[in-house]
Amino acid sequence: MVVLLLVGCFEDSRDSIVFEKLEVSQNEAVPEFTLLSREEMDNTKMRFTKVVIEDVGEQAARLSVADSFSGLNDHFSSGLVDVIDNEGNKYRAIYIGEYYEENFGAENEYEKEVLELYRSREKAKEDDLPYIEFKEID
């Protein structure tokens, strides 16, 4: 009986820092999505994901990204998510975790984009990690 009470008290296991940096609440419902693509690159140090969400707008896309990036740092040092909403709007988010190492052998556009962002932020404080950039794309 005590175990059941303790299990009921655990917080949501999703990364709160990821939701905070994307300026969304963990209490909001994550939109339903269809996974279009998922790749692991650079010896599983980076993950690329592309999804279509059923909802519309930046807030819904941010929630989808937060859910995707939650726990990412446990397995990957960086990530890139492309989100297409129900009206065809496109968003991209890049995640650089605290264990990211400069990838001198970046081969594809996703690895290169993460590397470029990393290099542009090199002078940023380490305590700013994980760093997440979110933007609308064409």
Side-chain angles (χ1 to χ4, degrees):
M1 182 112 155
V2 172
V3 173
L4 292 174
L5 292 173
L6 290 174
V7 171
C9 294
F10 287 135
E11 288 186 38
D12 190 337
S13 64
R14 300 181 294 175
D15 275 333
S16 60
I17 189 75
V18 170
F19 283 79
E20 183 180 310
K21 289 193 177 248
L22 283 162
E23 301 173 352
V24 292
S25 169
Q26 285 183 276
N27 298 326
E28 294 181 68
V30 175
E32 295 291 323
F33 68 91
T34 301
L35 181 64
L36 298 179
S37 176
R38 178 165 280 163
E39 291 180 55
E40 296 175 2
M41 298 167 219
D42 188 26
N43 298 322
T44 70
K45 292 181 182 173
M46 180 183 167
R47 183 176 74 192
F48 166 74
T49 307
K50 185 173 187 176
V51 298
V52 174
I53 58 174
E54 291 185 11
D55 292 355
V56 175
E58 182 177 326
Q59 187 71 5
R62 284 177 178 273
L63 278 165
S64 182
V65 166
D67 187 58
S68 180
F69 283 164
S70 190
L72 185 74
N73 206 47
D74 295 341
H75 306 285
F76 300 92
S77 60
S78 62
L80 191 145
V81 175
D82 281 346
V83 178
I84 304 169
D85 73 12
N86 205 17
E87 290 184 347
N89 300 308
K90 297 176 184 176
Y91 304 90
R92 174 167 283 173
I94 300 172
Y95 175 97
I96 298 176
E98 59 187 292
Y99 304 114
Y100 180 78
E101 294 178 16
E102 196 167 356
N103 177 8
F104 295 105
E107 295 178 5
N108 64 46
E109 70 174 288
Y110 310 120
E111 292 171 322
K112 289 176 182 175
E113 191 164 348
V114 170
L115 180 59
E116 182 179 308
L117 178 61
Y118 175 76
R119 286 179 175 166
S120 73
R121 296 199 36 79
E122 269 187 299
K123 295 178 180 143
K125 296 179 184 174
E126 287 293 321
D127 60 349
D128 191 29
L129 296 175
Y131 177 74
I132 300 172
E133 178 182 85
F134 182 91
K135 61 187 174 184
E136 189 168 356
I137 58 175
D138 296 326

